[in-house]
Amino acid sequence: MAMSDELEVRFRELQSSLEALPVVSEPPKSTLRILGSARSEQKWNTFLAYFLDPTQPHGFGVDFLKCFLDTAQREAGIPLEYYHRDLELVKVDTEVTSPADNRLDIVIRVPGRWFVCIESKVDATEGEKQTYRYVTDAHLGAEEKADYPPDGHHYVFLSKKHTPDSNAPRFADLYWRHVVEAFDDELRSSHGTYPERSVSQLREFLSTIIQVSNMEDDNYTTIQKEKVRLLSTYRDEIDDLLGAAESLRQRSIEEWPELFQNQLDNELWTDEWHTRPDAGKYGCIFKDGWYLDDDGLETTRYYSETQGNTGFRLHFVHLIRKEESFSRGELTFLLRSPTRVELRNEFYRLYNSERWQKQLKPVLDENEITNKGQKKNYTEKVYNVDQAGLPESYFATLATAFEEHLPLAAIVDKIVAEAVENVREK
């Protein structure tokens, strides 16, 4: 079997695999992801403490505090014994700092009876003797631990599963998945008794924990992982095809002026139009009067004569230098002026003036050309290229782009002429 036949069979297999995958949209971002804080321990502690604190206006009362404490007893084995009336006196605080400068993430306590110190981790591991320092510290914030009975001291290390547990033996290890499962069960059994807004906030927080802790994948993530697996399976074949596209692009770079003009109708390419003699990778197309020399702003065709403090260049450019032009089948066509001189400043001012914008708008709108109006890039349009016909299809598309931009060029001629006159009069 020929190599091309083998590739075709492989890509039929890939196409069948991709078609078998359901179309799924990326789920909305959680609030923490929008804020760039999806992995912030401080933000997680703030959320958790809020839902645990019965004095907060979430409408959960003591339910999730009790749920958390029961989960810590069951899953982490903390020997905490509490009475329901204790929960009416409980205090929940974050970032509780002792005189020894030990800062506890969350502290749940009934003053004088018992406390639970929580050290939570999202991605980081335990700091230098961190849990040992917390246990041996004589203070709980400003309070002395001696004010609590010895059997009322409890410590919980809350982290992702499959990450290092706490170092200090007094700390009991609890995983975020335990919290998620327990809270989720509590929500399911609530039968709509909790405020809808609070339920949405808690579910969003639990969703963030699930995603960051890699507990399970949503449909979108599952499909993306399957696509990445397919990418790995067919990587050699894909690289081979991309390599072929890149090879065609490289061979076309030096010859693009001829390949382009071969696709044009003869009446479109007149003597006033030029490509850079050093065509290379830049893909520049310009008109008489768009390249002006550094001596007296006289028309030139040569890039080297436009360099200096006054020389000016304006051209259409197609970004053949970008690999995406062939590998993705894209042709980007721009009106660009790269020279940073007074004439460009004047051209920029005139181009964006209300008078010239009124003339430009209908021409640009008719051909769906984006009006960027920047000092370097003035217009832009991206064309799709038929990859099956490369390289000829690229230059056929370039011919189409050139023809569509001719009405714009006629207006640009007038703006350039006015800008040159204004600069010479200064």
Side-chain angles (χ1 to χ4, degrees), residues 50-190:
Y50 172 77
F51 295 122
L52 296 181
D53 190 345
T55 67
Q56 293 292 341
H58 42 57
F60 295 142
V62 300
D63 290 356
F64 285 93
L65 172 61
K66 185 176 183 299
C67 181
F68 180 86
L69 295 176
D70 292 348
T71 301
Q73 288 175 320
R74 182 178 65 256
E75 302 293 347
I78 65 169
L80 171 64
E81 295 183 4
Y82 68 89
Y83 299 99
H84 186 78
R85 64 176 179 272
D86 287 346
L87 303 185
E88 299 174 359
L89 304 172
V90 78
K91 295 181 180 295
V92 180
D93 299 296
T94 60
E95 298 192 9
V96 178
T97 305
S98 73
D101 204 29
N102 288 314
R103 186 172 60 189
L104 300 165
D105 287 334
I106 302 174
V107 174
I108 305 169
R109 62 187 170 206
V110 175
R113 297 185 185 177
W114 54 262
F115 63 77
V116 178
C117 298
I118 304 171
E119 175 61 24
S120 77
K121 298 295 182 185
V122 176
D123 287 319
T125 56
E126 180 180 336
E128 179 69 22
K129 296 184 178 180
Q130 188 176 20
T131 52
Y132 283 104
R133 287 188 283 107
Y134 292 171
V135 170
T136 57
D137 195 329
H139 289 83
L140 187 70
E143 293 183 297
E144 293 188 6
K145 290 181 181 177
D147 293 339
Y148 291 80
D151 61 355
H153 299 201
H154 307 285
Y155 302 88
V156 171
F157 190 77
L158 182 57
S159 65
K160 294 190 293 187
K161 193 177 182 181
H162 307 305
T163 57
D165 290 336
S166 58
N167 292 325
R170 289 289 303 276
F171 265 85
D173 295 303
L174 184 68
Y175 302 130
W176 282 108
R177 71 173 180 84
H178 293 141
V179 175
V180 171
E181 291 168 357
F183 282 16
D184 197 49
D185 286 343
E186 183 67 29
L187 285 173
R188 278 200 299 268
S189 64
S190 65

Side-chain angles (χ1 to χ4, degrees), residues 164-227:
D165 290 336
S166 58
N167 292 325
R170 289 289 303 276
F171 265 85
D173 295 303
L174 184 68
Y175 302 130
W176 282 108
R177 71 173 180 84
H178 293 141
V179 175
V180 171
E181 291 168 357
F183 282 16
D184 197 49
D185 286 343
E186 183 67 29
L187 285 173
R188 278 200 299 268
S189 64
S190 65
H191 304 297
T193 58
Y194 298 136
E196 182 178 345
R197 184 175 183 181
S198 293
V199 170
S200 296
Q201 290 173 337
L202 179 53
R203 286 199 183 281
E204 186 176 40
F205 178 48
L206 298 181
S207 175
T208 300
I209 296 174
I210 290 170
Q211 291 174 13
V212 174
S213 301
N214 300 317
M215 289 174 55
E216 63 182 52
D217 292 331
D218 54 45
N219 288 338
Y220 177 80
T221 302
T222 299
I223 297 302
Q224 303 317 303
K225 284 186 174 182
E226 178 59 20
K227 288 181 178 179

Side-chain angles (χ1 to χ4, degrees), residues 191-337:
H191 304 297
T193 58
Y194 298 136
E196 182 178 345
R197 184 175 183 181
S198 293
V199 170
S200 296
Q201 290 173 337
L202 179 53
R203 286 199 183 281
E204 186 176 40
F205 178 48
L206 298 181
S207 175
T208 300
I209 296 174
I210 290 170
Q211 291 174 13
V212 174
S213 301
N214 300 317
M215 289 174 55
E216 63 182 52
D217 292 331
D218 54 45
N219 288 338
Y220 177 80
T221 302
T222 299
I223 297 302
Q224 303 317 303
K225 284 186 174 182
E226 178 59 20
K227 288 181 178 179
V228 171
R229 188 193 68 77
L230 290 173
L231 174 62
S232 176
T233 301
Y234 295 92
R235 186 75 213 198
D236 289 344
E237 288 82 2
I238 292 171
D239 286 344
D240 192 19
L241 298 187
L242 291 175
E246 177 60 10
S247 176
L248 287 177
R249 186 186 72 87
Q250 291 289 348
R251 294 184 66 180
S252 300
I253 285 176
E254 296 298 332
E255 301 173 358
W256 79 259
E258 293 79 13
L259 294 169
F260 159 56
Q261 291 176 45
N262 287 342
Q263 297 287 342
L264 278 174
D265 292 336
N266 292 334
E267 65 271 15
L268 294 180
W269 189 257
T270 60
D271 291 342
E272 62 186 349
W273 283 103
H274 312 282
T275 59
R276 284 235 318 240
D278 54 339
K281 61 185 179 180
Y282 291 102
C284 300
I285 303 170
F286 62 97
K287 203 173 182 184
D288 283 340
W290 289 13
Y291 274 30
L292 302 174
D293 67 24
D294 193 47
D295 280 338
L297 296 180
E298 300 296 334
T299 296
T300 180
R301 292 180 54 187
Y302 300 102
Y303 159 83
S304 59
E305 295 179 0
T306 66
Q307 295 176 306
N309 295 326
T310 60
F312 177 74
R313 291 192 307 282
L314 178 73
H315 44 235
F316 290 126
V317 58
H318 61 103
L319 303 185
I320 194 171
R321 68 180 180 273
K322 290 191 173 182
E323 290 187 22
E324 289 87 347
S325 57
F326 278 29
S327 66
R328 292 185 178 273
E330 291 181 355
L331 188 155
T332 302
F333 199 79
L334 297 149
L335 176 65
R336 172 176 287 178
S337 178

Side-chain angles (χ1 to χ4, degrees), residues 288-418:
D288 283 340
W290 289 13
Y291 274 30
L292 302 174
D293 67 24
D294 193 47
D295 280 338
L297 296 180
E298 300 296 334
T299 296
T300 180
R301 292 180 54 187
Y302 300 102
Y303 159 83
S304 59
E305 295 179 0
T306 66
Q307 295 176 306
N309 295 326
T310 60
F312 177 74
R313 291 192 307 282
L314 178 73
H315 44 235
F316 290 126
V317 58
H318 61 103
L319 303 185
I320 194 171
R321 68 180 180 273
K322 290 191 173 182
E323 290 187 22
E324 289 87 347
S325 57
F326 278 29
S327 66
R328 292 185 178 273
E330 291 181 355
L331 188 155
T332 302
F333 199 79
L334 297 149
L335 176 65
R336 172 176 287 178
S337 178
T339 46
R340 300 180 180 181
V341 293
E342 184 181 0
L343 179 54
R344 187 180 74 166
N345 293 338
E346 181 61 13
F347 177 83
Y348 167 77
R349 185 186 70 80
L350 290 172
Y351 177 93
N352 287 293
S353 67
E354 183 178 356
R355 175 167 56 94
W356 284 112
Q357 284 292 306
K358 284 182 179 179
Q359 296 190 42
L360 288 163
K361 188 176 189 309
V363 172
L364 299 177
D365 289 350
E366 181 180 355
N367 292 290
E368 299 181 331
I369 299 170
T370 300
N371 188 2
K372 299 179 75 71
Q374 301 166 349
K375 277 196 172 181
K376 182 177 181 180
N377 296 323
Y378 291 87
T379 66
E380 179 182 57
K381 184 169 180 178
V382 179
Y383 296 81
N384 292 322
V385 177
D386 177 16
Q387 289 184 291
L390 287 171
E392 289 81 7
S393 57
Y394 179 88
F395 298 103
T397 306
L398 180 57
T400 298
F402 177 74
E403 184 173 2
E404 287 187 353
H405 283 72
L406 286 177
L408 170 61
I411 300 175
V412 168
D413 277 345
K414 298 175 183 178
I415 302 176
V416 171
E418 183 177 340

